[in-house]
Amino acid sequence: MCCVLGLFTELLKRLTKPSGHLIPSMSLLQISEPDVPVSPRLPRAAVGIDLGTTHSLVATVRKRRAEVLVDAQERALLPSVVRYLDAENHKEVGYAALVGAMQDPANTIFSVKRLMGRGRPEKIHAAHAALQWVDMPGMAHIDTVAGVKNPVEVSADILLALRARAEAYFAQQNFTAQATEQMSARLPAVITVPAYFDEPQRQATQDAARLAGLDVLRLLNEPTAAAIAYGLENRMQGCYAVYDLGGGTFDLSVLKYARGVFEVLATGGDSALGGDDVDHLLFDYLMEHIASQEPAFTAPLNAKDQRRVLNEVRRVKEALSEVDEAHFDVTLSTGQHISCPLQIATFARLINPLIQRTLQLTQQVLRDAGLKKTDIDEVLLVGGATRMRVLREAVGAFFHKPPLTHIDPEQIVAIGAAMQADLLVGNRPLSDASQEAGEAASSADNWLLLDVLPLTLGVETFGGLVEKIIPRNTTLPAARSQEFTTFKDGQTGMVIHVVQGERELVKDCRSLGRFELQGIPPMAAGLARIRVTYQVDADGLLYVSAREQRSGVQASITVKSSYGLSDEAVYSMLEESFAAASSDMHTRALREQQIEAERFLEITDAALAENADLLNDAERAQVQASLQALRALKDGTDRDALAAALKAAEQATEAFAERCLTQNVRQALDSKKHTDAKT
């Protein structure tokens, strides 16, 4: 052993001896005593996140299996809803925010994904009707009780809730000490975005992730993530059409999977088309129907009633995936009661224009990929909106084959993202160790992902025209260069205007940024040679540089739209979030306790109203006293006292609950006997 160590030491000396030459990189071998097993490298914690319009999810790979992480109530979906509570920036996220949405719509933000990387919308969507908008340059700004918020900050709050769920899971699983150390800094994550998200929208997503303390390994297109999950699970090869209709976006991607390589052939879609638009159509239909049937009906609705009706609309939409007729049934704050039926045929007629828009985009993507419908081996449905029965039937008829639906369409994107994250952090078991453990080799151990650019990138030339540098559907990462020259004699500077879009005029495309190239040597027009280079990384983020070839002067820009946040702004918000972290955790726990108390009081009050005769006077007085004590603490800030009061109330009503259950069982049996006797 000493001899081996001596040789190893001498080798290190030679490698580190100054020689003026570069030394090729070498793999260092681990040296150990004979018969001493080598400890395998501990797996790294990493997650995949589906940041959705209506719901978001987080998943991870544990023991080579991808799983979606759930909350304490075993719920996988986190509603993408944030409610701001006060000027101290206390907030609720997810189900807790939903509870108070109808009472506080102006401070409850839904469907924030529609606003990512965008200014204030000209046409206000129903989900945003109650918000108070602030006229500020750049990204959309919303006035709340906690101050002015933008979509990046709201999305960061959603991502923070998902990160907390992941951290709780890793701690419970006792993942590794290394994983715990990572989470104290930044948790590695792959975050999915719609394939048709442009540069500002992708950059806004990056900003939100940074603000939430995530290390973004990659931004992954949602259809691609779905194909990863389907392809690896079923070991299928061939061409896929991934039809992804979420709450606020539609994407169609055509991918080819063969020999462990995913290649995106073409992608297209609409970043402002989704299940929310179906809700809006049903909302308008319901208002028109009631106005025609009830002359006394008053419109428009206030913000609270709009939220009530939208909730009912979603319930009816979901019901029509199972039945042929559902009923709207909601009472407004004015006391007016809205009730009307909706047949599946009427529902299909209402949403058919939206479905046809998606199929027109689908046809365009197939043309871009150079394929026919018959070339598609499988059609994958992704996104919660694809649960609609009429949509599944329409997609099946378009492709002349039933789509795949055996993986939950709301979870598949997060699963694929988790697989990609696991690959990027290097969690691949040693082949020898796998063989010894008796594990079969998996195609998941070795695969490559080739994504594409969703929209064309170009530069403005004289006359407001667009010179296209990297066309859409180019495989990523990509780099392209093109030479330009000066227009005037003696010109010493040039403005490089970067745009994105498919149109020929700059005014019809989206401006991504400008930078100046100064110091060009004076010369006659047309003699200067300016080489402009566009580089797009695997996340779809753009870097542009310009260099005058004769003099060597150059300039560059990392494209960050004015809709994004500066590094200083992100850093400032990070500091604020860190300072408020402890307070936010306390507020969240208190609010969860309050919600539990509210639900308990509501259920118990209803039971007393129906079965008060099951208690004698003394028992009734004891129950009422416990409920009164709970009500007195429900809106306070003492979480421990509230928990104690809730426990006392549960104990005081335990006997009453048992009697109610016994009576319900007895009534059900009596009803059955009566029915049998009639028969």
Side-chain angles (χ1 to χ4, degrees):
M1 184 64 189
C2 293
C3 181
V4 174
L5 288 175
L7 290 172
F8 184 67
T9 303
E10 182 63 25
L11 175 61
L12 285 177
K13 288 181 180 178
R14 293 182 182 181
L15 287 175
T16 56
K17 182 178 180 180
S19 62
H21 300 284
L22 293 177
I23 299 174
S25 61
M26 300 179 64
S27 298
L28 295 180
L29 302 179
Q30 183 172 358
I31 300 176
S32 62
E33 294 289 348
D35 302 323
V36 176
V38 178
S39 299
R41 186 178 63 82
L42 295 176
R44 294 188 65 198
V47 295
I49 292 178
D50 176 8
L51 184 61
T53 305
T54 53
H55 293 93
S56 298
L57 303 92
V58 58
T60 191
V61 174
R62 178 70 167 150
K63 296 181 179 179
R64 303 184 69 186
R65 287 183 58 85
E67 57 180 308
V68 175
L69 306 184
V70 298
D71 62 12
Q73 288 73 40
E74 300 295 320
R75 297 173 299 203
L77 299 179
L78 175 76
S80 300
V81 184
V82 180
R83 179 190 177 198
Y84 294 97
L85 302 175
D86 52 40
E88 302 300 320
N89 203 36
H90 295 146
K91 63 187 75 73
E92 297 171 334
V93 180
Y95 291 99
L98 283 176
V99 172
M102 286 188 288
Q103 285 70 39
D104 190 19
N107 294 300
T108 307
I109 302 176
F110 289 77
S111 301
V112 70
K113 188 173 180 178
R114 283 181 172 268
L115 305 175
M116 289 291 277
R118 294 287 183 258
R120 176 178 173 175
E122 295 181 3
K123 183 179 179 181
I124 303 299
H125 193 271
H128 305 135
L131 301 179
Q132 303 298 316
W133 302 91
V134 180
D135 289 327
M136 294 177 65
M139 196 182 301
H141 289 79
I142 303 161
D143 191 17
T144 73
V145 68
V148 177
K149 298 291 181 181
N150 62 51
V152 167
E153 294 173 287
V154 179
S155 297
D157 288 332
I158 297 170
L159 289 170
L160 275 169
L162 294 173
R163 178 185 174 179
R165 181 181 294 187
E167 290 174 346
Y169 169 83
F170 290 132
Q172 182 182 21
Q173 296 292 322
N174 191 24
F175 195 71
T176 63
Q178 184 181 8
T180 305
E181 182 180 345
Q182 290 169 7
M183 290 186 294
S184 64
R186 287 182 173 271
L187 178 63
V190 167
I191 301 178
T192 61
V193 293
Y196 226 55
F197 254 25
D198 58 21
E199 293 290 326
Q201 291 170 309
R202 291 170 187 267
Q203 186 62 63
T205 304
Q206 284 269 34
D207 288 342
R210 290 172 56 201
L211 190 57
L214 296 171
D215 176 18
V216 182
L217 301 170
R218 183 167 184 184
L219 295 180
L220 182 63
N221 287 345
E222 292 166 0
T224 310
I228 290 172
Y230 263 112
L232 294 182
E233 179 183 88
N234 298 302
R235 312 291 196 271
M236 292 187 296
Q237 297 191 10
C239 289
Y240 299 129
V242 185
Y243 182 104
D244 183 357
L245 187 64
T249 58
F250 169 69
D251 294 307
L252 193 287
S253 293
V254 176
L255 305 94
K256 184 178 181 180
Y257 177 49
R259 298 181 180 179
V261 177
F262 277 105
E263 181 181 3
V264 182
L265 302 180
T267 189
D270 189 334
S271 61
L273 173 62
D276 282 0
D277 297 289
V278 175
D279 298 343
H280 203 175
L281 282 176
L282 293 181
F283 180 93
D284 292 342
Y285 167 79
L286 183 59
M287 294 298 98
E288 293 172 4
H289 179 81
I290 298 302
S292 65
Q293 299 295 320
E294 301 286 343
F297 177 71
T298 57
L301 302 179
N302 60 41
K304 292 182 179 180
D305 284 341
Q306 284 189 11
R307 179 49 51 195
R308 284 191 178 96
V309 174
L310 278 172
N311 289 343
E312 180 65 8
V313 159
R314 290 195 177 113
R315 185 193 65 79
V316 169
K317 177 184 71 175
E318 293 167 3
L320 287 173
S321 294
E322 305 294 336
V323 299
D324 292 336
E325 180 177 301
H327 283 75
F328 295 105
D329 192 3
V330 62
T331 301
L332 305 180
S333 58
T334 59
Q336 292 176 299
H337 186 71
I338 298 177
S339 179
C340 74
L342 181 65
Q343 286 80 25
I344 188 68
T346 304
F347 178 63
R349 176 176 57 80
L350 286 172
I351 71 169
N352 184 61
L354 293 181
I355 295 176
Q356 292 306 312
R357 280 174 60 188
T358 69
L359 296 179
Q360 289 170 5
L361 291 166
T362 298
Q363 186 64 61
Q364 178 61 51
V365 175
L366 288 174
R367 282 197 292 267
D368 291 344
L371 299 175
K372 301 177 182 178
K373 298 177 187 179
T374 53
D375 296 325
I376 301 299
D377 296 299
E378 298 288 354
V379 181
L380 284 60
L381 292 187
V382 181
T386 62
R387 293 183 184 277
M388 294 185 293
R389 184 173 17 139
V390 293
L391 183 142
R392 291 187 174 190
E393 292 170 353
V395 172
F398 179 85
F399 283 100
H400 306 295
K401 58 171 60 72
L404 296 178
T405 59
H406 62 275
I407 297 181
D408 189 329
E410 290 183 305
Q411 296 188 10
I412 186 172
V413 168
I415 290 173
M419 290 179 172
Q420 176 74 351
D422 194 58
L423 181 69
L424 291 178
V425 296
N427 288 344
R428 285 290 164 262
L430 296 173
S431 57
D432 292 342
S434 298
Q435 300 279 338
E436 292 173 5
E439 297 177 359
S442 168
S443 60
D445 293 340
N446 184 23
W447 49 269
L448 178 65
L449 174 62
L450 302 176
D451 221 328
V452 296
L453 185 72
L455 296 169
T456 297
L457 294 169
V459 64
E460 179 179 2
T461 57
F462 184 74
L465 299 177
V466 177
E467 180 68 22
K468 297 178 180 179
I469 305 296
I470 306 182
R472 67 190 179 98
N473 289 324
T474 298
T475 301
L476 299 181
R480 300 282 174 88
S481 296
Q482 192 164 329
E483 287 195 356
F484 297 88
T485 189
T486 51
F487 178 73
K488 295 181 179 180
D489 292 341
Q491 186 175 338
T492 60
M494 178 180 289
V495 175
I496 310 296
H497 182 197
V498 182
V499 297
Q500 184 174 42
E502 308 307 316
R503 305 287 293 276
E504 299 300 321
L505 298 180
V506 170
K507 68 180 182 65
D508 297 321
C509 294
R510 182 143 195 206
S511 174
L512 298 182
R514 289 179 170 86
F515 67 101
E516 293 185 7
L517 177 64
Q518 297 286 357
I520 301 174
M523 61 186 78
L527 292 183
R529 294 171 51 213
I530 294 97
R531 189 173 185 83
V532 178
T533 301
Y534 281 40
Q535 294 175 292
V536 187
D537 65 16
D539 294 330
L541 301 179
L542 173 64
Y543 311 87
V544 181
S545 62
R547 175 186 174 91
E548 203 286 312
Q549 298 293 81
R550 296 176 184 239
S551 63
V553 297
Q554 59 185 7
S556 64
I557 184 176
T558 299
V559 173
K560 192 167 189 175
S561 167
S562 59
Y563 291 134
L565 297 176
S566 67
D567 290 341
E568 292 77 13
V570 173
Y571 179 75
S572 175
M573 286 188 287
L574 276 170
E575 283 191 323
E576 294 173 3
S577 67
F578 292 153
S582 178
S583 176
D584 287 349
M585 289 177 62
H586 174 77
T587 301
R588 177 190 176 97
L590 173 63
R591 186 56 186 147
E592 288 175 347
Q593 193 76 63
Q594 289 173 334
I595 292 170
E596 189 176 351
E598 289 171 0
R599 289 173 177 167
F600 177 82
L601 287 169
E602 181 180 352
I603 293 171
T604 307
D605 286 341
L608 284 171
E610 185 176 351
N611 298 308
D613 57 334
L614 296 178
L615 298 171
N616 58 38
D617 292 343
E619 291 172 332
R620 193 177 302 112
Q622 182 183 4
V623 169
Q624 291 290 2
S626 69
L627 296 181
Q628 188 60 34
L630 183 58
R631 285 192 179 91
L633 294 169
K634 179 176 66 68
D635 297 324
T637 58
D638 191 336
R639 183 164 62 94
D640 293 336
L642 178 58
L646 178 59
K647 184 176 181 180
E650 289 173 342
Q651 292 174 345
T653 58
E654 185 175 356
F656 175 53
E658 292 177 356
R659 293 174 195 174
C660 289
L661 179 61
T662 301
Q663 177 168 290
N664 290 339
V665 171
R666 185 180 297 114
Q667 289 175 348
L669 291 174
D670 290 343
S671 176
K672 185 176 186 305
K673 290 179 181 178
H674 182 68
T675 303
D676 291 343
K678 278 188 173 183
T679 304

